[in-house]
Amino acid sequence: MGAVREALDSVRLVDHHCHGTVTADLDRGAFESLLTEGEAWPGVSPFDSPVGVAVRRHCAPLLDLPRHAPPVEYLARRSDLGWREVQRRFLRATGTDVFCVDTGYAPDRITTPQDIAEAAGGTSYEVVRLEGVAESVRAAGVEPDAYAQAFHAAALDAVRRPGVVAVKSVAAYRTGFDLDPARPSDAQVTQAARAWLGSGDRLDDPVLVRHLLWTAVDLGLPLQLHTGFGDNDIRLHRADPTHLTDWLHLTAGTVPVLLLHCWPYQRQAGYLAAVFEQVYLDVGLTLHYVGPARAGAVLTEALEITPFRKLLYSSDAYGVPEFHHLGALAFRQGLAELLQKRVDSDELDLPDALRIARWAGRDNALRVYRLRNERPEGD
Amino acid sequence: MGAVREALDSVRLVDHHCHGTVTADLDRGAFESLLTEGEAWPGVSPFDSPVGVAVRRHCAPLLDLPRHAPPVEYLARRSDLGWREVQRRFLRATGTDVFCVDTGYAPDRITTPQDIAEAAGGTSYEVVRLEGVAESVRAAGVEPDAYAQAFHAAALDAVRRPGVVAVKSVAAYRTGFDLDPARPSDAQVTQAARAWLGSGDRLDDPVLVRHLLWTAVDLGLPLQLHTGFGDNDIRLHRADPTHLTDWLHLTAGTVPVLLLHCWPYQRQAGYLAAVFEQVYLDVGLTLHYVGPARAGAVLTEALEITPFRKLLYSSDAYGVPEFHHLGALAFRQGLAELLQKRVDSDELDLPDALRIARWAGRDNALRVYRLRNERPEGD
Amino acid sequence: MGAVREALDSVRLVDHHCHGTVTADLDRGAFESLLTEGEAWPGVSPFDSPVGVAVRRHCAPLLDLPRHAPPVEYLARRSDLGWREVQRRFLRATGTDVFCVDTGYAPDRITTPQDIAEAAGGTSYEVVRLEGVAESVRAAGVEPDAYAQAFHAAALDAVRRPGVVAVKSVAAYRTGFDLDPARPSDAQVTQAARAWLGSGDRLDDPVLVRHLLWTAVDLGLPLQLHTGFGDNDIRLHRADPTHLTDWLHLTAGTVPVLLLHCWPYQRQAGYLAAVFEQVYLDVGLTLHYVGPARAGAVLTEALEITPFRKLLYSSDAYGVPEFHHLGALAFRQGLAELLQKRVDSDELDLPDALRIARWAGRDNALRVYRLRNERPEGD
C-alpha cells in the first residue's frame, strides 16, 4: 500500500452531507429498494449493478462473510446481526469523526443525527432542508402576503437550534437551475404564495424556489445544493450547476455554496469552484453508486482544475449504513489512487499529496463550516 | 488472454440494431464516404481518423493482409475479393447469432435482413423505422383528419409482418428530444398533418414527431431511439436523452425504450437506465468510430451506474461490413478489458463478470425482444 | 522514453493561439492572480491547484530550482532573474517555431507578437479579435445605419495589416452560441446598433454578435472561436460548441472555424470536427490548467472520433510565460502518452503515430493558416 493510501486511511473524515438509516430490520425487497435510486424492478435485482457488486465485495467482510458473498447469504447474515449491530459496524468502519446530517428527507423511519454520532463514535451536526421549512410554514397556516416573513422567521428558528451548521436546497429537483437569478420582489412572492398555499403541491413554484435560494443567502450559513444525479424525479440536464452562474455572480461575497454529487457534471462543478470564490464541491452519492472501481476516475475528473481547498468529502448515504461505509472507502481508495499515481510519476510531491488528502477528507469541511474550534483534531 | 476475454469471445452475440451493407464493389471515394459520419473531404482522407486506423489494423488481416496495411492495398484487395466474399468474411468473424436490422434507412442499395443472416450464418429480425412509415402514408395520399388513423394502421401492418421485433424512431434527428412530452390531441395532429401533408418536407413537425412516439407506445413493441452521435444532420445537444425524462414518466409501464449510441451522453443514458425500469442502452456506432482503443473507456462510462441487465450490444453498422466486425470486436475487447480489470483488482468476482458479459452480449437482448423461445441457445 | 515522445519532442510547434505576457516583474499577488481563471482569494492560494502544482514541478527547474520548489522560493528566483530572462527561458523551452498571437486582450501591459518571436527565436503572426474592432468603431463615432459598413471596413483594414492570419471572436463570452444562426438583415443591424452605440456596454447584443460572426465569414480568413472553459464571465453551458450547428450548416464552404479550448466539451467539439469539413479544434488553455498529469486524458477524449488533420496545438497562454511552457510540455507529453500506448498495444502503427504527432503539433496549423510557403520547415 502506498504512502498516500496509508495517510488517507488514517484521516478522520468529515462527512459533510449524509442522512440517517432505517431503524428496522429489512427484508430483501426493502433492502433492494434502498439499494437503488430507481426502484426494485421484477427480474432486475439491484444487486446486479455496480453498487450491488460493491456491497457484496466491500460490505460482506464486515458482516464476517467472504468477499462477494451471494445476496441471499448477505441478507440472512444482516438479519441475524440486527440493524443496530449492522449500523454500528459500518459506521465505525468509516473512520468518520464528524457527520453533517440532512434531516429533511425521511420517507422511512431513520436514525437521528444523535443516533449516527453514537453508533459511529463521532459528532453530528445538522443541515436544515429549506423546502421542508417552507412546507411546514404552509402546514401551519399563513396568509400569502405574510409568507415571505413567516418563512424567513421559521428558517431562522430552524438554523438557530444548537448543532445546525448549514442549510440545504433541493431546487434541482423542484425546478432545476435554469431560473431567473434575481431576487423576486415582495409582490411576486405574495402572488406566487397565493397560488401555492392553496395547492397541495410540494414547493415547486419557480418564484418561490428562487425566493428560497435568496432566503438561504440571508440566513448567512453555508448552502448545500443538490446537483446532478438523483432519482427519476430529477431532470438531469436542468441540474447542471453551470445554470447557476448568474445567481452565483449576484450572490458573490455572501454564503459558501456547496455543490453536492455533481456527476455527470463534475467537470462543470470544478469549473465553478475554480472561478467563484464561494463555490465548493463533492462527489457524494456518486461514490457508492459507481463504487470503488470507478470512484478514482470520477474524483480525477472532479479535480481536473478544482483548487485543492475546494473539494470536500460526503457520502450522501441514505437508508442503509452500507452506503456510509462504501462512500468513505471509495473516497479514500479513489483519492489515494489518483494522488499516488501523480506522486509515482513525480507530477506531485509527496508532502503536497498528503496535504491535499487531509484537506479534502477533513480540513476543507472544518474550514467551510467553521468547525475548527469546536472539533479539535485528536491526531 | 484473460478468462473474461475468452468467455466473451465465445458468446454468440445478439446485434440488436444494425443495417445492411452496399451490394456493390466500392471504389476509393465510395468506400471512404461510407467510412465517415461526415463526408470525404478534399485532402482529408477518412482513413486518417480513429475508425480508419481501426479498419487498417483489425480488418486488413481478415482480407489476408498484414495489420496496418495501407489504404490503397486494402482497397485493392477488397476489390479483388468482391463485396460478397468481403461481407461473408466480416459477418462470420463477428460471431453474431441474431441481427435486428433497421430496414428504414437505405440511401444506397444494401443487403436485406435475409442477406445478412445468410452471410453470417445467423438469424435476422426486422426493426421498423416509424418515420418511414409516416412518409409512406403521405406518399399514398391521406386527408389530414385521417392521418392519425392511417399512420397507426400502416404501422400496425408493418409490425405484424413476420420477423418484426421492434420499432425505431429518429426523432433525435428531426426535432431533438426537448419536445412537449404529452400525447397530442386529435385536433393538434390533424392541424399539424394539414401543413405537413401539403409540404415536401420529411417528418419534422414537432406535433407529428411526438405523435409518432406515442403511436410507438400504442404498438406495444420495444422502441429503439437514436440518441447522441450521428451525422451533421443532428443537433447533438438536443439528442441528449435526459430531455426524454418527462416523456419517460408519462409512458412508464408501457414499452421498453432502447437508447442507441448515446455518446457523448453515455453517462446520462446510464442514469436513465438506472432510474427508469423501461430504459436500456447501448453504445453502438460509437464502438467502431472510437475503435477498440477507446471502446473500453466508453463502455466503462456507460456502465458507471447502469444495472447490468440494461446494457445491450449493437454495432449500428451501415454500408460496409467492416463496421459489423469492428463493432463486435470493440465490444468484446472493451467489455473484457473493463471486466477483467475489476476481476484482477478483486472488485468483481469472476462468475459475476462472466454473467455480465453474457447478459450484455446476448441475454439482455433476448429478454427485451422476447427472443428467448425463438432462439434457444446452442451452447 | 518512447519513440513517439522523442519524435514529438523534436517537432517545432505551431502555437496557433496565444497571447503576450506581462512586461514587468510580478509580486506574489500579481503572479497568483495571473495563475488562475478565478481570482486570488484570501486563504486559497492559486498555487494549491493543479496548475500551481504543475508550475512548481515543471517550471521551477527552468529557473534552476529543484522540482516542486515552494512558491516563496519560486517567486524569489523569478524576481532575481527578471521578467525578460524568465520569459526567454520559458519561450525557448517550448520549442515553438510559430506563434499566432491574439492581440485583442490586454488588461495588463503585455508583450507584442514581435517580442514573443524574438524571445522565443521564432516567428509571430497576428490574430485580430473582432469584438475589439467593433468597439473601436464605436469609439471613433459612427451613425447606426453606417455601423455595418464601418465595422466591415475597419475589420478589413485590420486583417490587411502584414502578418495577420486569422480573426477571433469571443461570442461565447458575450451571448453564448445559442443564437439565431441567420445573417441579420441591414435593418436589424441598424436597429441593434442604435441601442448599442448609445450605451456604454461591451458588444453583447445578440444581433450584433451574430452580425460579427457573419462579418468574419465575409473577411475570408480562418475564424478562431473561444468555446468552453474560461473565467467566470462565461456561462459554460452556452459555450458548448454544438450550439453552433445550424450556423455551421449555413456557413459551410466558407471559412475554417477553429474551436479553441473546448473543455469540458472536447467530445462535442470532436463530433463537429468529424462531421463538418470546416471545423478544427484544440484543447489550449485546458492543457496548462489540468497540467501534464491530465493533458493526455483530455487529448484522448478530444481525439476519440476527431480526424487526425483536425487537431491543432495551442497554448492559449496569457500573462506569464510559464503557461507557454506548460502548454507545450503538456501537449507533447499528453499526445505522446496516448499515441505510444496505442503503438504499444498495436492499435496504431508507429509511422502513423509519428505522422499524427507532426500533423497535430505543426502541419495542420501550417495548412489551415496557409503558412506552408511562408515558413519552410528547417528540419
Side-chain angles (χ1 to χ4, degrees), chain A residues 242-243 246 249 267 271 274-277 300 303-304 306 308 310 342 346-347 352 355 359, chain C residues 41-43 48-50 53 56-58 67-68 230-232 234-235 237 263 266 294 301 333:
Chain A
T242 62
H243 288 287
D246 287 300
H249 274 291
R267 283 168 159 161
Y271 158 74
V275 299
F276 284 100
E277 182 175 6
T300 299
L303 269 177
E304 229 156 34
T306 300
F308 302 132
K310 296 299 199 84
R342 293 191 191 178
D346 196 28
E347 289 291 334
D352 289 317
R355 209 158 46 107
W359 283 351
Chain C
W41 305 311
D48 289 323
S49 66
V53 160
R56 288 171 47 217
R57 164 64 185 86
H58 293 287
R67 297 189 308 275
H68 313 294
D231 64 35
N232 74 17
I234 216 145
R235 275 64 185 159
H237 55 96
W263 184 95
Q266 57 272 14
R294 280 296 286 175
E301 290 183 14
Q333 181 171 317

Short mmCIF file of all heavy atoms in Angstrom, two decimals, chain A residues 242-243 246 249 267 271 274-277 300 303-304 306 308 310 342 346-347 352 355 359, chain C residues 41-43 48-50 53 56-58 67-68 230-232 234-235 237 263 266 294 301 333:
data_model
loop_
_atom_site.label_atom_id
_atom_site.label_comp_id
_atom_site.label_asym_id
_atom_site.label_seq_id
_atom_site.Cartn_x
_atom_site.Cartn_y
_atom_site.Cartn_z
N THR A 242 -23.81 24.65 -13.86
CA THR A 242 -23.42 25.89 -14.54
C THR A 242 -24.62 26.80 -14.83
O THR A 242 -24.43 27.98 -15.09
CB THR A 242 -22.64 25.62 -15.85
OG1 THR A 242 -23.46 24.90 -16.77
CG2 THR A 242 -21.37 24.82 -15.57
N HIS A 243 -25.84 26.24 -14.76
CA HIS A 243 -27.01 27.10 -14.88
C HIS A 243 -27.11 28.10 -13.72
O HIS A 243 -27.90 29.04 -13.78
CB HIS A 243 -28.30 26.26 -14.93
CG HIS A 243 -28.49 25.51 -16.21
ND1 HIS A 243 -28.84 26.13 -17.38
CD2 HIS A 243 -28.35 24.20 -16.51
CE1 HIS A 243 -28.93 25.22 -18.35
NE2 HIS A 243 -28.65 24.04 -17.85
N ASP A 246 -25.30 32.92 -13.21
CA ASP A 246 -25.76 34.30 -12.96
C ASP A 246 -26.12 34.51 -11.49
O ASP A 246 -25.82 35.56 -10.92
CB ASP A 246 -26.97 34.61 -13.85
CG ASP A 246 -26.55 34.81 -15.29
OD1 ASP A 246 -25.73 35.71 -15.55
OD2 ASP A 246 -27.00 34.03 -16.15
N HIS A 249 -22.99 34.98 -9.52
CA HIS A 249 -22.49 36.35 -9.63
C HIS A 249 -23.24 37.28 -8.67
O HIS A 249 -22.64 38.09 -7.97
CB HIS A 249 -22.66 36.87 -11.07
CG HIS A 249 -21.53 36.51 -11.96
ND1 HIS A 249 -20.28 37.05 -11.82
CD2 HIS A 249 -21.45 35.64 -13.01
CE1 HIS A 249 -19.47 36.54 -12.75
NE2 HIS A 249 -20.16 35.67 -13.48
N ARG A 267 -17.00 17.95 -13.97
CA ARG A 267 -16.08 18.93 -14.56
C ARG A 267 -16.70 20.33 -14.53
O ARG A 267 -16.00 21.31 -14.26
CB ARG A 267 -15.75 18.53 -16.00
CG ARG A 267 -14.76 17.39 -16.07
CD ARG A 267 -14.67 16.82 -17.47
NE ARG A 267 -13.42 16.10 -17.66
CZ ARG A 267 -13.22 15.20 -18.63
NH1 ARG A 267 -14.19 14.94 -19.50
NH2 ARG A 267 -12.06 14.58 -18.74
N TYR A 271 -15.22 23.62 -12.69
CA TYR A 271 -15.09 24.95 -13.30
C TYR A 271 -15.63 26.02 -12.36
O TYR A 271 -14.97 27.05 -12.10
CB TYR A 271 -15.80 24.99 -14.65
CG TYR A 271 -16.17 26.38 -15.09
CD1 TYR A 271 -15.18 27.26 -15.55
CD2 TYR A 271 -17.47 26.85 -14.99
CE1 TYR A 271 -15.49 28.56 -15.92
CE2 TYR A 271 -17.80 28.15 -15.37
CZ TYR A 271 -16.81 29.00 -15.83
OH TYR A 271 -17.13 30.27 -16.17
N ALA A 274 -13.46 26.69 -9.52
CA ALA A 274 -12.21 27.35 -9.89
C ALA A 274 -12.39 28.84 -10.12
O ALA A 274 -11.43 29.60 -9.99
CB ALA A 274 -11.61 26.70 -11.15
N VAL A 275 -13.58 29.27 -10.47
CA VAL A 275 -13.76 30.68 -10.83
C VAL A 275 -14.66 31.48 -9.88
O VAL A 275 -14.75 32.69 -10.02
CB VAL A 275 -14.27 30.83 -12.30
CG1 VAL A 275 -13.26 30.23 -13.28
CG2 VAL A 275 -15.65 30.24 -12.49
N PHE A 276 -15.31 30.81 -8.95
CA PHE A 276 -16.11 31.52 -7.94
C PHE A 276 -15.55 31.21 -6.55
O PHE A 276 -15.49 30.04 -6.15
CB PHE A 276 -17.59 31.11 -7.98
CG PHE A 276 -18.35 31.72 -9.12
CD1 PHE A 276 -18.59 30.98 -10.28
CD2 PHE A 276 -18.81 33.03 -9.05
CE1 PHE A 276 -19.28 31.56 -11.35
CE2 PHE A 276 -19.50 33.60 -10.11
CZ PHE A 276 -19.74 32.86 -11.27
N GLU A 277 -15.20 32.25 -5.83
CA GLU A 277 -14.61 32.06 -4.51
C GLU A 277 -15.50 31.24 -3.60
O GLU A 277 -15.03 30.42 -2.81
CB GLU A 277 -14.35 33.44 -3.87
CG GLU A 277 -13.68 33.33 -2.50
CD GLU A 277 -13.31 34.68 -1.92
OE1 GLU A 277 -13.67 35.71 -2.53
OE2 GLU A 277 -12.64 34.70 -0.87
N THR A 300 -10.99 12.09 -10.24
CA THR A 300 -9.97 12.67 -11.10
C THR A 300 -10.57 13.74 -12.01
O THR A 300 -9.99 14.80 -12.20
CB THR A 300 -9.30 11.56 -11.94
OG1 THR A 300 -8.67 10.63 -11.05
CG2 THR A 300 -8.25 12.13 -12.88
N LEU A 303 -11.43 16.81 -9.99
CA LEU A 303 -10.26 17.59 -9.57
C LEU A 303 -9.43 18.10 -10.74
O LEU A 303 -8.34 18.63 -10.53
CB LEU A 303 -9.37 16.73 -8.67
CG LEU A 303 -9.65 16.81 -7.17
CD1 LEU A 303 -8.75 15.86 -6.42
CD2 LEU A 303 -9.47 18.24 -6.65
N GLU A 304 -9.93 17.97 -11.94
CA GLU A 304 -9.11 18.33 -13.10
C GLU A 304 -8.59 19.76 -13.01
O GLU A 304 -7.42 20.01 -13.29
CB GLU A 304 -9.92 18.11 -14.39
CG GLU A 304 -9.15 17.33 -15.42
CD GLU A 304 -10.06 16.60 -16.42
OE1 GLU A 304 -11.14 17.12 -16.75
OE2 GLU A 304 -9.70 15.53 -16.88
N THR A 306 -10.02 21.89 -10.28
CA THR A 306 -10.51 22.38 -9.00
C THR A 306 -9.37 22.71 -8.03
O THR A 306 -8.50 21.88 -7.80
CB THR A 306 -11.41 21.31 -8.35
OG1 THR A 306 -12.51 21.06 -9.23
CG2 THR A 306 -11.93 21.76 -7.00
N PHE A 308 -7.43 22.86 -4.65
CA PHE A 308 -7.44 21.76 -3.67
C PHE A 308 -8.17 22.09 -2.37
O PHE A 308 -8.44 21.21 -1.58
CB PHE A 308 -6.01 21.30 -3.39
CG PHE A 308 -5.27 20.86 -4.61
CD1 PHE A 308 -3.98 21.33 -4.88
CD2 PHE A 308 -5.86 20.00 -5.53
CE1 PHE A 308 -3.29 20.92 -6.02
CE2 PHE A 308 -5.18 19.60 -6.68
CZ PHE A 308 -3.89 20.06 -6.92
N LYS A 310 -11.09 23.28 -2.39
CA LYS A 310 -12.50 23.35 -2.77
C LYS A 310 -13.20 21.99 -2.84
O LYS A 310 -14.39 21.93 -3.07
CB LYS A 310 -12.61 24.04 -4.14
CG LYS A 310 -12.16 25.50 -4.14
CD LYS A 310 -12.99 26.35 -3.22
CE LYS A 310 -12.87 27.82 -3.55
NZ LYS A 310 -13.77 28.25 -4.62
N ARG A 342 0.12 10.30 -9.19
CA ARG A 342 0.86 11.52 -9.51
C ARG A 342 2.18 11.61 -8.76
O ARG A 342 3.16 12.13 -9.27
CB ARG A 342 -0.01 12.75 -9.23
CG ARG A 342 -1.17 12.76 -10.18
CD ARG A 342 -1.97 14.00 -10.21
NE ARG A 342 -3.18 13.70 -10.99
CZ ARG A 342 -4.17 14.54 -11.21
NH1 ARG A 342 -4.11 15.76 -10.70
NH2 ARG A 342 -5.21 14.17 -11.92
N ASP A 346 6.01 11.53 -10.37
CA ASP A 346 6.69 12.78 -9.98
C ASP A 346 5.97 14.03 -10.50
O ASP A 346 6.59 15.07 -10.67
CB ASP A 346 8.15 12.77 -10.45
CG ASP A 346 8.98 13.84 -9.74
OD1 ASP A 346 8.63 14.20 -8.59
OD2 ASP A 346 9.95 14.34 -10.33
N GLU A 347 4.66 13.93 -10.73
CA GLU A 347 3.89 15.14 -11.05
C GLU A 347 3.52 15.90 -9.79
O GLU A 347 3.13 17.07 -9.85
CB GLU A 347 2.61 14.77 -11.83
CG GLU A 347 2.84 14.31 -13.25
CD GLU A 347 3.34 15.41 -14.17
OE1 GLU A 347 3.07 16.59 -13.90
OE2 GLU A 347 4.05 15.08 -15.14
N ASP A 352 2.86 17.38 -0.63
CA ASP A 352 1.69 18.05 -1.19
C ASP A 352 0.52 17.08 -1.29
O ASP A 352 -0.62 17.43 -1.01
CB ASP A 352 2.01 18.61 -2.58
CG ASP A 352 2.95 19.80 -2.51
OD1 ASP A 352 2.74 20.66 -1.63
OD2 ASP A 352 3.89 19.88 -3.31
N ARG A 355 -1.04 16.63 2.06
CA ARG A 355 -1.79 17.83 2.43
C ARG A 355 -3.15 17.85 1.72
O ARG A 355 -4.19 18.14 2.30
CB ARG A 355 -0.96 19.06 2.00
CG ARG A 355 -1.13 20.30 2.78
CD ARG A 355 0.10 21.20 2.59
NE ARG A 355 0.52 21.32 1.22
CZ ARG A 355 0.36 22.43 0.46
NH1 ARG A 355 -0.22 23.50 0.96
NH2 ARG A 355 0.79 22.46 -0.79
N TRP A 359 -6.81 17.82 3.43
CA TRP A 359 -7.74 18.92 3.15
C TRP A 359 -9.09 18.39 2.68
O TRP A 359 -10.14 18.80 3.16
CB TRP A 359 -7.16 19.84 2.07
CG TRP A 359 -6.10 20.77 2.54
CD1 TRP A 359 -5.72 21.00 3.82
CD2 TRP A 359 -5.29 21.61 1.71
NE1 TRP A 359 -4.71 21.94 3.85
CE2 TRP A 359 -4.43 22.34 2.57
CE3 TRP A 359 -5.18 21.84 0.35
CZ2 TRP A 359 -3.51 23.26 2.10
CZ3 TRP A 359 -4.26 22.76 -0.14
CH2 TRP A 359 -3.43 23.46 0.73
N TRP C 41 -7.93 34.36 -4.00
CA TRP C 41 -8.85 34.59 -2.87
C TRP C 41 -8.10 34.45 -1.55
O TRP C 41 -7.18 33.63 -1.43
CB TRP C 41 -9.97 33.57 -2.91
CG TRP C 41 -10.72 33.53 -4.21
CD1 TRP C 41 -11.23 34.59 -4.91
CD2 TRP C 41 -11.03 32.36 -4.99
NE1 TRP C 41 -11.85 34.15 -6.05
CE2 TRP C 41 -11.75 32.80 -6.12
CE3 TRP C 41 -10.79 31.00 -4.83
CZ2 TRP C 41 -12.20 31.92 -7.10
CZ3 TRP C 41 -11.25 30.12 -5.79
CH2 TRP C 41 -11.95 30.58 -6.91
N PRO C 42 -8.51 35.18 -0.54
CA PRO C 42 -7.87 35.06 0.77
C PRO C 42 -7.88 33.61 1.26
O PRO C 42 -8.93 32.96 1.24
CB PRO C 42 -8.73 35.94 1.68
CG PRO C 42 -9.60 36.76 0.79
CD PRO C 42 -9.64 36.11 -0.55
N GLY C 43 -6.74 33.12 1.63
CA GLY C 43 -6.68 31.79 2.23
C GLY C 43 -6.70 30.65 1.24
O GLY C 43 -6.62 29.48 1.63
N ASP C 48 -2.16 26.21 -4.83
CA ASP C 48 -2.79 24.96 -4.37
C ASP C 48 -3.89 24.54 -5.33
O ASP C 48 -5.08 24.49 -4.98
CB ASP C 48 -3.33 25.16 -2.94
CG ASP C 48 -2.21 25.24 -1.94
OD1 ASP C 48 -1.21 24.53 -2.11
OD2 ASP C 48 -2.32 26.05 -1.00
N SER C 49 -3.48 24.25 -6.53
CA SER C 49 -4.41 23.85 -7.58
C SER C 49 -3.60 23.06 -8.60
O SER C 49 -2.36 23.07 -8.56
CB SER C 49 -5.01 25.09 -8.24
OG SER C 49 -3.98 25.79 -8.92
N PRO C 50 -4.25 22.36 -9.50
CA PRO C 50 -3.49 21.58 -10.48
C PRO C 50 -2.46 22.42 -11.24
O PRO C 50 -1.33 21.97 -11.45
CB PRO C 50 -4.58 21.02 -11.40
CG PRO C 50 -5.78 20.86 -10.48
CD PRO C 50 -5.70 22.07 -9.58
N VAL C 53 0.56 23.30 -8.94
CA VAL C 53 1.43 22.14 -8.77
C VAL C 53 2.28 21.93 -10.02
O VAL C 53 3.47 21.60 -9.94
CB VAL C 53 0.55 20.91 -8.47
CG1 VAL C 53 1.29 19.61 -8.77
CG2 VAL C 53 0.08 20.95 -7.01
N ARG C 56 5.17 24.46 -10.17
CA ARG C 56 6.27 24.12 -9.26
C ARG C 56 7.05 22.91 -9.78
O ARG C 56 8.26 22.83 -9.64
CB ARG C 56 5.74 23.87 -7.85
CG ARG C 56 5.29 25.17 -7.15
CD ARG C 56 4.55 24.89 -5.84
NE ARG C 56 5.28 23.91 -5.06
CZ ARG C 56 4.72 22.94 -4.32
NH1 ARG C 56 3.40 22.85 -4.24
NH2 ARG C 56 5.46 22.08 -3.68
N ARG C 57 6.34 21.96 -10.37
CA ARG C 57 7.01 20.75 -10.86
C ARG C 57 7.81 21.00 -12.13
O ARG C 57 8.95 20.55 -12.26
CB ARG C 57 5.96 19.65 -11.11
CG ARG C 57 6.41 18.48 -11.97
CD ARG C 57 7.53 17.69 -11.32
NE ARG C 57 8.04 16.64 -12.19
CZ ARG C 57 8.98 16.80 -13.11
NH1 ARG C 57 9.54 17.98 -13.29
NH2 ARG C 57 9.38 15.77 -13.83
N HIS C 58 7.18 21.67 -13.10
CA HIS C 58 7.77 21.71 -14.44
C HIS C 58 8.43 23.03 -14.79
O HIS C 58 9.20 23.10 -15.73
CB HIS C 58 6.70 21.39 -15.49
CG HIS C 58 6.22 19.97 -15.42
ND1 HIS C 58 6.98 18.91 -15.83
CD2 HIS C 58 5.04 19.44 -14.97
CE1 HIS C 58 6.29 17.78 -15.65
NE2 HIS C 58 5.12 18.07 -15.12
N ARG C 67 12.74 20.54 -8.59
CA ARG C 67 11.34 20.25 -8.86
C ARG C 67 10.53 20.43 -7.58
O ARG C 67 11.01 20.12 -6.49
CB ARG C 67 11.18 18.80 -9.33
CG ARG C 67 11.89 18.49 -10.62
CD ARG C 67 11.53 17.11 -11.13
NE ARG C 67 11.70 16.07 -10.12
CZ ARG C 67 12.84 15.44 -9.87
NH1 ARG C 67 13.93 15.73 -10.57
NH2 ARG C 67 12.91 14.51 -8.93
N HIS C 68 9.29 20.91 -7.72
CA HIS C 68 8.37 21.11 -6.60
C HIS C 68 8.85 22.17 -5.60
O HIS C 68 8.48 22.14 -4.43
CB HIS C 68 8.12 19.80 -5.83
CG HIS C 68 7.83 18.62 -6.71
ND1 HIS C 68 6.69 18.53 -7.47
CD2 HIS C 68 8.54 17.48 -6.97
CE1 HIS C 68 6.70 17.37 -8.14
NE2 HIS C 68 7.82 16.72 -7.87
N GLY C 230 -13.39 29.13 -19.47
CA GLY C 230 -12.80 30.46 -19.41
C GLY C 230 -13.00 30.98 -18.00
O GLY C 230 -13.19 30.20 -17.07
N ASP C 231 -12.97 32.29 -17.83
CA ASP C 231 -13.17 32.82 -16.48
C ASP C 231 -14.67 32.88 -16.16
O ASP C 231 -15.49 32.37 -16.93
CB ASP C 231 -12.48 34.19 -16.33
CG ASP C 231 -13.08 35.25 -17.22
OD1 ASP C 231 -14.30 35.23 -17.45
OD2 ASP C 231 -12.32 36.11 -17.70
N ASN C 232 -15.02 33.50 -15.03
CA ASN C 232 -16.43 33.40 -14.61
C ASN C 232 -17.36 34.33 -15.38
O ASN C 232 -18.55 34.42 -15.07
CB ASN C 232 -16.57 33.53 -13.08
CG ASN C 232 -16.40 34.95 -12.59
OD1 ASN C 232 -16.47 35.91 -13.34
ND2 ASN C 232 -16.15 35.07 -11.29
N ILE C 234 -18.09 33.65 -18.31
CA ILE C 234 -18.73 32.76 -19.28
C ILE C 234 -19.90 32.02 -18.62
O ILE C 234 -19.90 31.80 -17.42
CB ILE C 234 -17.68 31.78 -19.87
CG1 ILE C 234 -17.97 31.53 -21.34
CG2 ILE C 234 -17.60 30.46 -19.10
CD1 ILE C 234 -16.74 31.36 -22.16
N ARG C 235 -20.89 31.66 -19.44
CA ARG C 235 -21.94 30.71 -19.00
C ARG C 235 -21.59 29.44 -19.73
O ARG C 235 -21.88 29.30 -20.93
CB ARG C 235 -23.34 31.20 -19.39
CG ARG C 235 -23.94 32.15 -18.39
CD ARG C 235 -23.15 33.42 -18.27
NE ARG C 235 -23.60 34.34 -17.23
CZ ARG C 235 -22.80 35.27 -16.73
NH1 ARG C 235 -21.54 35.40 -17.10
NH2 ARG C 235 -23.28 36.09 -15.81
N HIS C 237 -22.43 26.36 -20.12
CA HIS C 237 -23.35 25.54 -20.94
C HIS C 237 -23.72 26.22 -22.24
O HIS C 237 -24.10 25.55 -23.19
CB HIS C 237 -24.60 25.18 -20.12
CG HIS C 237 -25.32 26.36 -19.56
ND1 HIS C 237 -26.39 26.93 -20.20
CD2 HIS C 237 -25.10 27.11 -18.45
CE1 HIS C 237 -26.81 27.97 -19.48
NE2 HIS C 237 -26.05 28.09 -18.41
N TRP C 263 -12.78 22.24 -23.58
CA TRP C 263 -13.07 21.56 -22.33
C TRP C 263 -14.22 22.22 -21.61
O TRP C 263 -14.22 23.44 -21.54
CB TRP C 263 -11.82 21.58 -21.44
CG TRP C 263 -11.92 20.84 -20.14
CD1 TRP C 263 -11.53 19.57 -19.90
CD2 TRP C 263 -12.40 21.35 -18.88
NE1 TRP C 263 -11.74 19.25 -18.59
CE2 TRP C 263 -12.28 20.32 -17.94
CE3 TRP C 263 -12.94 22.57 -18.47
CZ2 TRP C 263 -12.67 20.47 -16.61
CZ3 TRP C 263 -13.33 22.73 -17.15
CH2 TRP C 263 -13.19 21.69 -16.23
N GLN C 266 -14.88 18.69 -25.10
CA GLN C 266 -13.94 18.25 -26.13
C GLN C 266 -14.53 17.15 -27.00
O GLN C 266 -14.21 17.05 -28.19
CB GLN C 266 -12.59 17.83 -25.52
CG GLN C 266 -12.63 16.74 -24.49
CD GLN C 266 -12.85 17.28 -23.09
OE1 GLN C 266 -13.23 18.44 -22.89
NE2 GLN C 266 -12.64 16.45 -22.08
N ARG C 294 -2.97 15.37 -16.57
CA ARG C 294 -4.27 15.05 -17.16
C ARG C 294 -4.38 15.45 -18.62
O ARG C 294 -5.42 15.23 -19.25
CB ARG C 294 -5.39 15.77 -16.39
CG ARG C 294 -5.78 15.09 -15.10
CD ARG C 294 -6.37 13.72 -15.32
NE ARG C 294 -7.73 13.75 -15.85
CZ ARG C 294 -8.39 12.67 -16.21
NH1 ARG C 294 -7.84 11.46 -16.12
NH2 ARG C 294 -9.61 12.76 -16.69
N GLU C 301 -9.86 12.18 -25.08
CA GLU C 301 -11.28 12.42 -25.35
C GLU C 301 -11.47 13.31 -26.58
O GLU C 301 -12.37 13.09 -27.39
CB GLU C 301 -11.96 13.05 -24.14
CG GLU C 301 -12.08 12.09 -22.97
CD GLU C 301 -12.83 12.70 -21.79
OE1 GLU C 301 -13.46 13.75 -21.95
OE2 GLU C 301 -12.75 12.11 -20.70
N GLN C 333 3.72 15.75 -23.99
CA GLN C 333 3.66 14.59 -23.09
C GLN C 333 2.33 13.85 -23.23
O GLN C 333 2.28 12.63 -23.32
CB GLN C 333 3.86 15.08 -21.65
CG GLN C 333 3.86 13.97 -20.62
CD GLN C 333 4.28 14.49 -19.24
OE1 GLN C 333 5.23 15.26 -19.11
NE2 GLN C 333 3.58 14.05 -18.21
#
